[in-house]
Amino acid sequence: NQSDAAASSIYYIRPNIDTAWTTDYTLTTSTVGGATSLISYGGQLFVGTDNVAGSFAKVLVRSSVGAYTTSLTATGGTAAVNNGFLSMINFGTNLYAAYWNNDAPAIAKVYKFDNSSLTTPYSGSALTLRPYMLSFLANNYLYVAGGGMGLRASLIRTADGTNWSDLTAYLAGPITETALPLYGVVGS
């Protein structure tokens, strides 16, 4: 949702029970734009959102009784249009949420939530200031990949959630891209 006038919502359907989708929550209630990522963690649904200029994106959490609350409000710079939590993943016993803010300078962070406290174990710099759109697990590592219009693809990884390695140099291609990167993960 890139407009203050449009209302985005979370819907659900119970397969083989319901015949239509039901609105579970209207995101404007939490003053956010649209849903950009969803994940289950600790028995609750976490919803990554984006937002309009001037307002920071949030991660919302839905309790088992259907109540939505704010788990995290992003920080860093001035909130630019479409700042948001673009991907989330469970790694070990923690939830990781990748955040992007196209401010000047840009903000790229990975937040870590252990069900009680929140930290920022990774903040991008130089070639890792990218919107991280993909998070995946492989060979006991958490990988986070990103890129965008005019931004070369970037790849970072961690084995422990605290120490991160920049693997961007291993990605082929020109420095300036003119299209959005396409990512896919194939498991064995």
Side-chain angles (χ1 to χ4, degrees):
N1 178 21
Q2 298 179 7
S3 166
D4 291 331
S8 298
S9 297
I10 304 292
Y11 297 88
Y12 72 84
I13 191 167
R14 297 173 297 172
N16 301 319
I17 298 171
D18 298 330
T19 58
W21 289 85
T22 300
T23 303
D24 193 46
Y25 188 70
T26 302
L27 292 168
T28 54
T29 305
S30 292
T31 62
V32 295
T36 52
S37 53
L38 299 166
I39 195 162
S40 175
Y41 173 73
Q44 298 178 324
L45 176 66
F46 284 75
V47 180
T49 69
D50 67 356
N51 222 330
V52 297
S55 298
F56 282 106
K58 298 175 182 178
V59 174
L60 306 176
V61 61
R62 182 189 191 274
S63 71
S64 59
V65 296
Y68 282 81
T69 57
T70 299
S71 174
L72 164 65
T73 300
T75 61
T78 300
V81 66
N82 295 332
N83 74 93
F85 290 93
L86 305 179
S87 66
M88 293 189 291
I89 193 166
N90 295 314
F91 180 57
T93 59
N94 303 305
L95 172 64
Y96 292 82
Y99 174 70
W100 170 250
N101 183 11
N102 196 25
D103 190 18
I107 306 291
K109 296 181 183 182
V110 177
Y111 288 92
K112 175 180 157 182
F113 181 61
D114 66 6
N115 217 14
S116 64
S117 64
L118 184 72
T119 59
T120 308
Y122 185 81
S123 293
S125 63
L127 291 179
T128 65
L129 283 173
R130 303 292 184 259
Y132 288 112
M133 300 174 279
L134 175 68
S135 301
F136 63 95
L137 305 174
N139 298 323
N140 299 317
Y141 285 98
L142 165 58
Y143 291 85
V144 182
M149 289 294 286
L151 298 173
R152 183 178 178 195
S154 178
L155 180 66
I156 57 175
R157 80 172 182 186
T158 182
D160 60 9
T162 301
N163 300 298
W164 293 77
S165 300
D166 177 6
L167 304 178
T168 302
Y170 294 105
L171 302 175
I175 296 298
T176 304
E177 299 295 333
T178 58
L180 289 172
L182 177 65
Y183 295 101
V185 178
V186 177
S188 57

